[in-house]
Amino acid sequence: MINKEFINTWSRKYDNNATQRDKRLEEKIRNKIMYLFPKGKVNYITQDILYDIVDWKAPRIRKYVLENRKEFIEEVTKHCFLSLDEQFKIEGLTIMKGVQYRVASAVLHFCFSSEYTIMDWRAWNSLQEEKELPKDYEIKDDFEHWEKYLNVCKEIVHKYDCSLRQLDKALWQYSNRQLK
């Protein structure tokens, strides 16, 4: 059952088990965004930041990010970040090479961490195992599934007064326990 203790325990295990590479990369991404936008309002991201996010989330596809022109990445992310339409926000990001729903969710998370979580099959499986999502509700890279996932996570975060990132870490680590 997902509760405050579950979130604290499993997110702490995530922090203890995360590789130094992943920790450094996550910190590097957050620092670059804070440096670029010291007042906290993220208007766009650079190719360099997108590359780091993809390297952190899905390293095997990072080479595709470099196929996007720098100006294109800044223009796409600027329009997506300004949009009030959630579907446009996430799906707009997927027009860039190397960016599908799960990477797009990581982009939104790093730029707006209090509003978005990272869509991941491990976390999805944990939500199913703990009966927060139906067992037969398969993970799909589309707006309906992303929105449902995000809303379930936001409900849990609100109920147990934690951050989306803390919940994400807990769900990821909880699922990962079975893989070892």
Side-chain angles (χ1 to χ4, degrees):
M1 181 168 104
I2 295 177
N3 56 32
K4 187 74 170 171
E5 182 182 349
F6 173 98
I7 296 165
N8 288 336
T9 299
W10 288 103
S11 65
R12 196 169 32 255
K13 286 181 181 187
Y14 176 97
D15 289 336
N16 292 337
N17 293 322
T19 66
Q20 286 304 311
R21 177 195 180 277
D22 283 348
K23 288 177 183 179
R24 278 193 308 271
L25 202 46
E26 187 171 350
E27 184 177 356
K28 178 181 175 186
I29 294 164
R30 294 192 192 286
N31 288 340
K32 282 182 179 180
I33 291 171
M34 285 189 326
Y35 178 78
L36 193 58
F37 301 103
K39 294 188 177 168
K41 175 130 175 61
V42 181
N43 299 319
Y44 64 91
I45 59 171
T46 62
Q47 184 182 53
D48 185 46
I49 293 171
L50 180 60
Y51 182 87
D52 286 343
I53 292 171
V54 173
D55 191 22
W56 177 83
K57 175 69 177 141
R60 68 193 177 285
I61 61 169
R62 65 183 172 232
K63 64 185 176 203
Y64 299 111
V65 170
L66 298 175
E67 295 178 19
N68 295 294
R69 289 181 307 105
K70 293 176 182 181
E71 300 80 12
F72 181 69
I73 292 170
E74 291 178 15
E75 196 68 20
V76 168
T77 57
K78 177 172 62 173
H79 287 284
C80 291
F81 294 172
L82 286 173
S83 179
L84 299 177
D85 185 273
E86 294 295 326
Q87 187 170 3
F88 181 83
K89 230 173 228 183
I90 191 149
E91 288 185 1
L93 294 172
T94 67
I95 68 168
M96 295 183 288
K97 291 178 183 154
V99 179
Q100 296 299 324
Y101 254 85
R102 295 171 208 188
V103 169
S105 74
V107 169
L108 290 174
H109 168 74
F110 277 108
C111 296
F112 311 98
S113 59
S114 65
E115 299 173 49
Y116 300 101
T117 192
I118 303 158
M119 189 173 182
D120 184 89
W121 66 269
R122 289 173 196 82
W124 185 282
N125 287 346
S126 293
L127 289 172
Q128 286 181 316
E129 190 175 329
E130 294 303 312
K131 299 177 180 37
E132 298 290 341
L133 284 174
K135 247 328 185 197
D136 60 347
Y137 197 66
E138 292 181 30
I139 188 169
K140 291 184 184 167
D141 289 336
D142 64 26
F143 181 72
E144 175 193 327
H145 288 78
W146 173 75
E147 185 179 46
K148 173 74 173 168
Y149 177 80
L150 179 61
N151 288 335
V152 166
C153 289
K154 283 183 172 183
E155 287 172 18
I156 294 168
V157 162
H158 179 73
K159 187 174 181 179
Y160 297 111
D161 191 32
C162 65
S163 71
L164 284 166
R165 183 64 181 131
Q166 187 181 10
L167 175 63
D168 176 62
K169 289 176 179 183
L171 295 172
W172 193 95
Q173 189 62 43
Y174 183 71
S175 176
N176 203 38
R177 81 196 186 289
Q178 299 169 340
L179 301 175
K180 293 188 177 186

